[in-house]
mmCIF file of all heavy atoms in Angstrom:
data_model
loop_
_atom_site.group_PDB
_atom_site.id
_atom_site.type_symbol
_atom_site.label_atom_id
_atom_site.label_comp_id
_atom_site.label_asym_id
_atom_site.label_seq_id
_atom_site.Cartn_x
_atom_site.Cartn_y
_atom_site.Cartn_z
ATOM 1 N N ILE I 61 -16.641 12.845 16.013
ATOM 2 C CA ILE I 61 -16.390 11.959 17.153
ATOM 3 C C ILE I 61 -15.008 11.340 17.031
ATOM 4 O O ILE I 61 -14.166 11.465 17.916
ATOM 5 C CB ILE I 61 -17.449 10.842 17.232
ATOM 6 C CG1 ILE I 61 -18.850 11.431 17.382
ATOM 7 C CG2 ILE I 61 -17.138 9.908 18.396
ATOM 8 C CD1 ILE I 61 -19.959 10.393 17.311
ATOM 9 N N ALA I 62 -14.772 10.671 15.907
ATOM 10 C CA ALA I 62 -13.483 10.012 15.675
ATOM 11 C C ALA I 62 -13.400 9.611 14.215
ATOM 12 O O ALA I 62 -14.419 9.469 13.534
ATOM 13 C CB ALA I 62 -13.340 8.770 16.566
ATOM 14 N N SER I 63 -12.176 9.424 13.746
ATOM 15 C CA SER I 63 -11.972 8.878 12.408
ATOM 16 C C SER I 63 -11.503 7.437 12.553
ATOM 17 O O SER I 63 -10.780 7.099 13.500
ATOM 18 C CB SER I 63 -10.944 9.693 11.628
ATOM 19 O OG SER I 63 -9.674 9.618 12.242
ATOM 20 N N VAL I 64 -11.946 6.588 11.642
ATOM 21 C CA VAL I 64 -11.570 5.170 11.675
ATOM 22 C C VAL I 64 -11.059 4.778 10.292
ATOM 23 O O VAL I 64 -11.389 5.409 9.286
ATOM 24 C CB VAL I 64 -12.765 4.284 12.079
ATOM 25 C CG1 VAL I 64 -13.211 4.606 13.490
ATOM 26 C CG2 VAL I 64 -13.924 4.438 11.105
ATOM 27 N N TYR I 65 -10.242 3.746 10.267
ATOM 28 C CA TYR I 65 -9.679 3.307 8.992
ATOM 29 C C TYR I 65 -10.755 2.705 8.095
ATOM 30 O O TYR I 65 -11.647 1.982 8.563
ATOM 31 C CB TYR I 65 -8.548 2.307 9.221
ATOM 32 C CG TYR I 65 -7.290 2.985 9.716
ATOM 33 C CD1 TYR I 65 -6.975 3.008 11.078
ATOM 34 C CD2 TYR I 65 -6.449 3.634 8.825
ATOM 35 C CE1 TYR I 65 -5.842 3.652 11.539
ATOM 36 C CE2 TYR I 65 -5.310 4.282 9.273
ATOM 37 C CZ TYR I 65 -5.002 4.297 10.627
ATOM 38 O OH TYR I 65 -3.880 4.944 11.074
ATOM 39 N N ALA I 66 -10.674 3.025 6.802
ATOM 40 C CA ALA I 66 -11.663 2.593 5.823
ATOM 41 C C ALA I 66 -11.082 1.514 4.923
ATOM 42 O O ALA I 66 -10.026 1.703 4.308
ATOM 43 C CB ALA I 66 -12.131 3.782 4.980
ATOM 44 N N ALA I 67 -11.760 0.399 4.844
ATOM 45 C CA ALA I 67 -11.282 -0.720 4.036
ATOM 46 C C ALA I 67 -11.448 -0.451 2.550
ATOM 47 O O ALA I 67 -12.417 0.166 2.107
ATOM 48 C CB ALA I 67 -12.027 -1.996 4.414
ATOM 49 N N GLY I 68 -10.481 -0.951 1.783
ATOM 50 C CA GLY I 68 -10.571 -0.981 0.336
ATOM 51 C C GLY I 68 -10.576 -2.424 -0.119
ATOM 52 O O GLY I 68 -10.586 -3.355 0.699
ATOM 53 N N PRO I 69 -10.553 -2.668 -1.425
ATOM 54 C CA PRO I 69 -10.584 -4.034 -1.944
ATOM 55 C C PRO I 69 -9.469 -4.928 -1.405
ATOM 56 O O PRO I 69 -9.689 -6.118 -1.148
ATOM 57 C CB PRO I 69 -10.451 -3.834 -3.458
ATOM 58 C CG PRO I 69 -11.039 -2.476 -3.707
ATOM 59 C CD PRO I 69 -10.648 -1.666 -2.508
ATOM 60 N N GLU I 70 -8.263 -4.357 -1.201
ATOM 61 C CA GLU I 70 -7.152 -5.172 -0.690
ATOM 62 C C GLU I 70 -7.422 -5.638 0.734
ATOM 63 O O GLU I 70 -7.061 -6.773 1.114
ATOM 64 C CB GLU I 70 -5.840 -4.380 -0.731
ATOM 65 C CG GLU I 70 -5.469 -3.872 -2.111
ATOM 66 C CD GLU I 70 -6.059 -2.492 -2.394
ATOM 67 O OE1 GLU I 70 -6.923 -2.036 -1.596
ATOM 68 O OE2 GLU I 70 -5.668 -1.888 -3.406
ATOM 69 N N ASP I 71 -8.048 -4.798 1.528
ATOM 70 C CA ASP I 71 -8.382 -5.177 2.909
ATOM 71 C C ASP I 71 -9.488 -6.229 2.931
ATOM 72 O O ASP I 71 -9.479 -7.133 3.780
ATOM 73 C CB ASP I 71 -8.822 -3.943 3.699
ATOM 74 C CG ASP I 71 -7.782 -2.840 3.667
ATOM 75 O OD1 ASP I 71 -6.666 -3.066 4.160
ATOM 76 O OD2 ASP I 71 -8.090 -1.760 3.135
ATOM 77 N N VAL I 72 -10.418 -6.102 2.000
ATOM 78 C CA VAL I 72 -11.466 -7.123 1.883
ATOM 79 C C VAL I 72 -10.829 -8.462 1.530
ATOM 80 O O VAL I 72 -11.211 -9.514 2.076
ATOM 81 C CB VAL I 72 -12.520 -6.710 0.830
ATOM 82 C CG1 VAL I 72 -13.504 -7.853 0.577
ATOM 83 C CG2 VAL I 72 -13.264 -5.463 1.282
ATOM 84 N N ASP I 73 -9.849 -8.432 0.640
ATOM 85 C CA ASP I 73 -9.126 -9.665 0.290
ATOM 86 C C ASP I 73 -8.533 -10.318 1.535
ATOM 87 O O ASP I 73 -8.636 -11.541 1.727
ATOM 88 C CB ASP I 73 -7.996 -9.371 -0.700
ATOM 89 C CG ASP I 73 -8.491 -9.065 -2.107
ATOM 90 O OD1 ASP I 73 -9.653 -9.406 -2.409
ATOM 91 O OD2 ASP I 73 -7.717 -8.498 -2.898
ATOM 92 N N ASP I 74 -7.905 -9.511 2.384
ATOM 93 C CA ASP I 74 -7.272 -10.044 3.601
ATOM 94 C C ASP I 74 -8.313 -10.650 4.542
ATOM 95 O O ASP I 74 -8.107 -11.718 5.132
ATOM 96 C CB ASP I 74 -6.508 -8.941 4.329
ATOM 97 C CG ASP I 74 -5.222 -8.551 3.618
ATOM 98 O OD1 ASP I 74 -4.828 -9.244 2.657
ATOM 99 O OD2 ASP I 74 -4.606 -7.538 4.025
ATOM 100 N N ALA I 75 -9.428 -9.951 4.694
ATOM 101 C CA ALA I 75 -10.477 -10.426 5.602
ATOM 102 C C ALA I 75 -11.092 -11.725 5.090
ATOM 103 O O ALA I 75 -11.349 -12.654 5.871
ATOM 104 C CB ALA I 75 -11.551 -9.352 5.771
ATOM 105 N N VAL I 76 -11.327 -11.797 3.796
ATOM 106 C CA VAL I 76 -11.904 -13.012 3.219
ATOM 107 C C VAL I 76 -10.926 -14.176 3.342
ATOM 108 O O VAL I 76 -11.324 -15.311 3.664
ATOM 109 C CB VAL I 76 -12.302 -12.777 1.744
ATOM 110 C CG1 VAL I 76 -12.704 -14.096 1.076
ATOM 111 C CG2 VAL I 76 -13.449 -11.771 1.658
ATOM 112 N N ALA I 77 -9.641 -13.903 3.117
ATOM 113 C CA ALA I 77 -8.632 -14.957 3.257
ATOM 114 C C ALA I 77 -8.584 -15.474 4.696
ATOM 115 O O ALA I 77 -8.468 -16.688 4.933
ATOM 116 C CB ALA I 77 -7.264 -14.430 2.823
ATOM 117 N N ALA I 78 -8.666 -14.563 5.656
ATOM 118 C CA ALA I 78 -8.666 -14.965 7.067
ATOM 119 C C ALA I 78 -9.902 -15.805 7.386
ATOM 120 O O ALA I 78 -9.823 -16.809 8.103
ATOM 121 C CB ALA I 78 -8.616 -13.731 7.961
ATOM 122 N N ALA I 79 -11.044 -15.402 6.844
ATOM 123 C CA ALA I 79 -12.281 -16.142 7.085
ATOM 124 C C ALA I 79 -12.230 -17.528 6.444
ATOM 125 O O ALA I 79 -12.696 -18.514 7.022
ATOM 126 C CB ALA I 79 -13.475 -15.350 6.555
ATOM 127 N N ARG I 80 -11.646 -17.613 5.250
ATOM 128 C CA ARG I 80 -11.543 -18.909 4.579
ATOM 129 C C ARG I 80 -10.615 -19.855 5.335
ATOM 130 O O ARG I 80 -10.915 -21.044 5.503
ATOM 131 C CB ARG I 80 -11.040 -18.709 3.147
ATOM 132 C CG ARG I 80 -10.874 -20.009 2.341
ATOM 133 C CD ARG I 80 -12.188 -20.719 2.155
ATOM 134 N NE ARG I 80 -13.127 -19.911 1.403
ATOM 135 C CZ ARG I 80 -14.399 -20.229 1.214
ATOM 136 N NH1 ARG I 80 -14.884 -21.342 1.745
ATOM 137 N NH2 ARG I 80 -15.209 -19.435 0.523
ATOM 138 N N LYS I 81 -9.500 -19.314 5.800
ATOM 139 C CA LYS I 81 -8.564 -20.132 6.569
ATOM 140 C C LYS I 81 -9.220 -20.646 7.851
ATOM 141 O O LYS I 81 -9.084 -21.820 8.221
ATOM 142 C CB LYS I 81 -7.311 -19.327 6.899
ATOM 143 C CG LYS I 81 -6.251 -20.117 7.661
ATOM 144 C CD LYS I 81 -5.031 -19.254 7.940
ATOM 145 C CE LYS I 81 -3.987 -20.047 8.730
ATOM 146 N NZ LYS I 81 -2.794 -19.212 9.054
ATOM 147 N N ALA I 82 -9.957 -19.756 8.527
ATOM 148 C CA ALA I 82 -10.633 -20.152 9.767
ATOM 149 C C ALA I 82 -11.717 -21.182 9.497
ATOM 150 O O ALA I 82 -11.935 -22.099 10.300
ATOM 151 C CB ALA I 82 -11.240 -18.922 10.437
ATOM 152 N N PHE I 83 -12.403 -21.055 8.371
ATOM 153 C CA PHE I 83 -13.466 -22.003 8.029
ATOM 154 C C PHE I 83 -12.924 -23.418 7.863
ATOM 155 O O PHE I 83 -13.592 -24.398 8.215
ATOM 156 C CB PHE I 83 -14.158 -21.550 6.746
ATOM 157 C CG PHE I 83 -15.303 -22.430 6.330
ATOM 158 C CD1 PHE I 83 -16.479 -22.465 7.075
ATOM 159 C CD2 PHE I 83 -15.209 -23.230 5.204
ATOM 160 C CE1 PHE I 83 -17.542 -23.280 6.702
ATOM 161 C CE2 PHE I 83 -16.263 -24.052 4.827
ATOM 162 C CZ PHE I 83 -17.431 -24.077 5.567
ATOM 163 N N LYS I 84 -11.714 -23.517 7.344
ATOM 164 C CA LYS I 84 -11.099 -24.830 7.115
ATOM 165 C C LYS I 84 -10.333 -25.360 8.324
ATOM 166 O O LYS I 84 -9.984 -26.541 8.376
ATOM 167 C CB LYS I 84 -10.153 -24.755 5.912
ATOM 168 C CG LYS I 84 -10.854 -24.484 4.588
ATOM 169 C CD LYS I 84 -9.852 -24.432 3.443
ATOM 170 C CE LYS I 84 -10.541 -24.245 2.103
ATOM 171 N NZ LYS I 84 -9.573 -24.198 0.978
ATOM 172 N N ASP I 85 -10.052 -24.471 9.273
ATOM 173 C CA ASP I 85 -9.220 -24.872 10.410
ATOM 174 C C ASP I 85 -10.018 -25.766 11.372
ATOM 175 O O ASP I 85 -11.160 -25.447 11.727
ATOM 176 C CB ASP I 85 -8.724 -23.629 11.157
ATOM 177 C CG ASP I 85 -7.617 -23.948 12.139
ATOM 178 O OD1 ASP I 85 -7.922 -24.535 13.197
ATOM 179 O OD2 ASP I 85 -6.460 -23.617 11.844
ATOM 180 N N PRO I 86 -9.428 -26.872 11.828
ATOM 181 C CA PRO I 86 -10.143 -27.777 12.744
ATOM 182 C C PRO I 86 -10.625 -27.112 14.026
ATOM 183 O O PRO I 86 -11.614 -27.555 14.624
ATOM 184 C CB PRO I 86 -9.098 -28.865 13.039
ATOM 185 C CG PRO I 86 -8.177 -28.839 11.863
ATOM 186 C CD PRO I 86 -8.116 -27.411 11.437
ATOM 187 N N SER I 87 -9.923 -26.041 14.456
ATOM 188 C CA SER I 87 -10.323 -25.391 15.705
ATOM 189 C C SER I 87 -11.742 -24.833 15.613
ATOM 190 O O SER I 87 -12.435 -24.707 16.629
ATOM 191 C CB SER I 87 -9.347 -24.270 16.065
ATOM 192 O OG SER I 87 -9.415 -23.214 15.120
ATOM 193 N N TRP I 88 -12.203 -24.514 14.413
ATOM 194 C CA TRP I 88 -13.565 -24.048 14.208
ATOM 195 C C TRP I 88 -14.409 -25.090 13.480
ATOM 196 O O TRP I 88 -15.514 -25.418 13.886
ATOM 197 C CB TRP I 88 -13.575 -22.730 13.430
ATOM 198 C CG TRP I 88 -14.942 -22.181 13.168
ATOM 199 C CD1 TRP I 88 -15.602 -22.111 11.979
ATOM 200 C CD2 TRP I 88 -15.853 -21.620 14.134
ATOM 201 N NE1 TRP I 88 -16.845 -21.548 12.122
ATOM 202 C CE2 TRP I 88 -17.022 -21.227 13.446
ATOM 203 C CE3 TRP I 88 -15.782 -21.406 15.513
ATOM 204 C CZ2 TRP I 88 -18.119 -20.645 14.095
ATOM 205 C CZ3 TRP I 88 -16.866 -20.826 16.163
ATOM 206 C CH2 TRP I 88 -18.021 -20.444 15.454
ATOM 207 N N ARG I 89 -13.846 -25.640 12.413
ATOM 208 C CA ARG I 89 -14.601 -26.602 11.594
ATOM 209 C C ARG I 89 -15.065 -27.800 12.401
ATOM 210 O O ARG I 89 -16.197 -28.267 12.246
ATOM 211 C CB ARG I 89 -13.718 -27.061 10.431
ATOM 212 C CG ARG I 89 -14.405 -28.012 9.452
ATOM 213 C CD ARG I 89 -13.369 -28.674 8.550
ATOM 214 N NE ARG I 89 -12.457 -29.518 9.336
ATOM 215 C CZ ARG I 89 -11.256 -29.924 8.914
ATOM 216 N NH1 ARG I 89 -10.808 -29.518 7.725
ATOM 217 N NH2 ARG I 89 -10.514 -30.699 9.673
ATOM 218 N N ASP I 90 -14.194 -28.298 13.256
ATOM 219 C CA ASP I 90 -14.501 -29.528 13.999
ATOM 220 C C ASP I 90 -14.922 -29.266 15.442
ATOM 221 O O ASP I 90 -15.000 -30.203 16.244
ATOM 222 C CB ASP I 90 -13.282 -30.457 13.991
ATOM 223 C CG ASP I 90 -12.867 -30.868 12.584
ATOM 224 O OD1 ASP I 90 -13.733 -30.844 11.686
ATOM 225 O OD2 ASP I 90 -11.676 -31.200 12.378
ATOM 226 N N MET I 91 -15.184 -28.017 15.776
ATOM 227 C CA MET I 91 -15.616 -27.699 17.140
ATOM 228 C C MET I 91 -16.935 -28.397 17.443
ATOM 229 O O MET I 91 -17.866 -28.390 16.625
ATOM 230 C CB MET I 91 -15.771 -26.184 17.306
ATOM 231 C CG MET I 91 -16.178 -25.757 18.711
ATOM 232 S SD MET I 91 -16.369 -23.958 18.897
ATOM 233 C CE MET I 91 -14.656 -23.427 18.805
ATOM 234 N N ASP I 92 -17.027 -29.014 18.599
ATOM 235 C CA ASP I 92 -18.268 -29.647 19.021
ATOM 236 C C ASP I 92 -19.386 -28.600 19.027
ATOM 237 O O ASP I 92 -19.192 -27.458 19.459
ATOM 238 C CB ASP I 92 -18.082 -30.242 20.418
ATOM 239 C CG ASP I 92 -19.344 -30.907 20.926
ATOM 240 O OD1 ASP I 92 -19.573 -32.071 20.562
ATOM 241 O OD2 ASP I 92 -20.083 -30.239 21.682
ATOM 242 N N SER I 93 -20.552 -28.983 18.547
ATOM 243 C CA SER I 93 -21.633 -28.012 18.414
ATOM 244 C C SER I 93 -22.070 -27.436 19.760
ATOM 245 O O SER I 93 -22.457 -26.264 19.849
ATOM 246 C CB SER I 93 -22.824 -28.652 17.698
ATOM 247 O OG SER I 93 -23.289 -29.787 18.409
ATOM 248 N N THR I 94 -21.983 -28.218 20.801
ATOM 249 C CA THR I 94 -22.306 -27.697 22.134
ATOM 250 C C THR I 94 -21.281 -26.656 22.556
ATOM 251 O O THR I 94 -21.639 -25.612 23.123
ATOM 252 C CB THR I 94 -22.363 -28.836 23.161
ATOM 253 O OG1 THR I 94 -23.403 -29.744 22.797
ATOM 254 C CG2 THR I 94 -22.636 -28.295 24.557
ATOM 255 N N ALA I 95 -20.016 -26.909 22.256
ATOM 256 C CA ALA I 95 -18.962 -25.944 22.582
ATOM 257 C C ALA I 95 -19.153 -24.656 21.783
ATOM 258 O O ALA I 95 -18.908 -23.552 22.288
ATOM 259 C CB ALA I 95 -17.596 -26.550 22.288
ATOM 260 N N ARG I 96 -19.620 -24.784 20.542
ATOM 261 C CA ARG I 96 -19.875 -23.582 19.739
ATOM 262 C C ARG I 96 -21.000 -22.763 20.361
ATOM 263 O O ARG I 96 -20.935 -21.532 20.420
ATOM 264 C CB ARG I 96 -20.224 -23.975 18.304
ATOM 265 C CG ARG I 96 -20.311 -22.769 17.362
ATOM 266 C CD ARG I 96 -20.700 -23.173 15.946
ATOM 267 N NE ARG I 96 -19.700 -24.041 15.365
ATOM 268 C CZ ARG I 96 -19.956 -25.214 14.808
ATOM 269 N NH1 ARG I 96 -21.197 -25.667 14.768
ATOM 270 N NH2 ARG I 96 -18.993 -25.937 14.289
ATOM 271 N N GLY I 97 -22.020 -23.444 20.841
ATOM 272 C CA GLY I 97 -23.105 -22.745 21.513
ATOM 273 C C GLY I 97 -22.637 -22.050 22.774
ATOM 274 O O GLY I 97 -23.039 -20.916 23.070
ATOM 275 N N GLU I 98 -21.769 -22.697 23.523
ATOM 276 C CA GLU I 98 -21.223 -22.093 24.745
ATOM 277 C C GLU I 98 -20.389 -20.856 24.415
ATOM 278 O O GLU I 98 -20.395 -19.870 25.158
ATOM 279 C CB GLU I 98 -20.394 -23.122 25.502
ATOM 280 C CG GLU I 98 -21.235 -24.237 26.121
ATOM 281 C CD GLU I 98 -20.398 -25.374 26.670
ATOM 282 O OE1 GLU I 98 -19.178 -25.412 26.382
ATOM 283 O OE2 GLU I 98 -20.951 -26.234 27.398
ATOM 284 N N LEU I 99 -19.670 -20.910 23.292
ATOM 285 C CA LEU I 99 -18.865 -19.770 22.869
ATOM 286 C C LEU I 99 -19.761 -18.580 22.528
ATOM 287 O O LEU I 99 -19.493 -17.433 22.928
ATOM 288 C CB LEU I 99 -18.015 -20.167 21.668
ATOM 289 C CG LEU I 99 -17.077 -19.116 21.073
ATOM 290 C CD1 LEU I 99 -16.128 -18.567 22.128
ATOM 291 C CD2 LEU I 99 -16.284 -19.720 19.903
ATOM 292 N N LEU I 100 -20.837 -18.845 21.818
ATOM 293 C CA LEU I 100 -21.785 -17.782 21.504
ATOM 294 C C LEU I 100 -22.426 -17.225 22.773
ATOM 295 O O LEU I 100 -22.636 -16.007 22.892
ATOM 296 C CB LEU I 100 -22.875 -18.318 20.571
ATOM 297 C CG LEU I 100 -22.551 -18.329 19.078
ATOM 298 C CD1 LEU I 100 -23.568 -19.166 18.318
ATOM 299 C CD2 LEU I 100 -22.500 -16.927 18.523
ATOM 300 N N TYR I 101 -22.742 -18.097 23.712
ATOM 301 C CA TYR I 101 -23.346 -17.640 24.958
ATOM 302 C C TYR I 101 -22.370 -16.760 25.739
ATOM 303 O O TYR I 101 -22.762 -15.739 26.321
ATOM 304 C CB TYR I 101 -23.784 -18.832 25.805
ATOM 305 C CG TYR I 101 -24.825 -18.470 26.841
ATOM 306 C CD1 TYR I 101 -26.179 -18.509 26.527
ATOM 307 C CD2 TYR I 101 -24.458 -18.077 28.123
ATOM 308 C CE1 TYR I 101 -27.139 -18.166 27.461
ATOM 309 C CE2 TYR I 101 -25.411 -17.730 29.065
ATOM 310 C CZ TYR I 101 -26.750 -17.775 28.723
ATOM 311 O OH TYR I 101 -27.703 -17.417 29.650
ATOM 312 N N ARG I 102 -21.095 -17.134 25.732
ATOM 313 C CA ARG I 102 -20.079 -16.317 26.398
ATOM 314 C C ARG I 102 -19.975 -14.940 25.727
ATOM 315 O O ARG I 102 -19.812 -13.910 26.406
ATOM 316 C CB ARG I 102 -18.734 -17.049 26.357
ATOM 317 C CG ARG I 102 -17.637 -16.371 27.173
ATOM 318 C CD ARG I 102 -16.550 -17.362 27.583
ATOM 319 N NE ARG I 102 -15.902 -18.001 26.449
ATOM 320 C CZ ARG I 102 -16.012 -19.279 26.135
ATOM 321 N NH1 ARG I 102 -16.777 -20.089 26.861
ATOM 322 N NH2 ARG I 102 -15.376 -19.791 25.098
ATOM 323 N N PHE I 103 -20.075 -14.921 24.414
ATOM 324 C CA PHE I 103 -20.071 -13.668 23.659
ATOM 325 C C PHE I 103 -21.244 -12.793 24.106
ATOM 326 O O PHE I 103 -21.083 -11.582 24.356
ATOM 327 C CB PHE I 103 -20.158 -14.004 22.170
ATOM 328 C CG PHE I 103 -20.042 -12.837 21.238
ATOM 329 C CD1 PHE I 103 -19.159 -11.796 21.475
ATOM 330 C CD2 PHE I 103 -20.806 -12.789 20.074
ATOM 331 C CE1 PHE I 103 -19.039 -10.724 20.590
ATOM 332 C CE2 PHE I 103 -20.699 -11.739 19.186
ATOM 333 C CZ PHE I 103 -19.817 -10.698 19.443
ATOM 334 N N ALA I 104 -22.417 -13.391 24.221
ATOM 335 C CA ALA I 104 -23.602 -12.642 24.661
ATOM 336 C C ALA I 104 -23.425 -12.093 26.074
ATOM 337 O O ALA I 104 -23.829 -10.958 26.368
ATOM 338 C CB ALA I 104 -24.842 -13.534 24.600
#
Side-chain angles (χ1 to χ4, degrees):
I61 301 174
S63 64
V64 296
Y65 285 98
E70 302 89 349
D71 305 298
V72 173
D73 287 342
D74 287 351
V76 171
R80 179 63 62 187
K81 182 179 179 182
F83 182 69
K84 294 180 177 180
D85 193 286
S87 66
W88 180 251
R89 183 194 64 199
D90 299 336
M91 182 180 289
D92 179 83
S93 59
T94 298
R96 188 182 297 128
E98 290 170 348
L99 181 56
L100 276 167
Y101 200 88
R102 187 156 59 248
F103 185 39

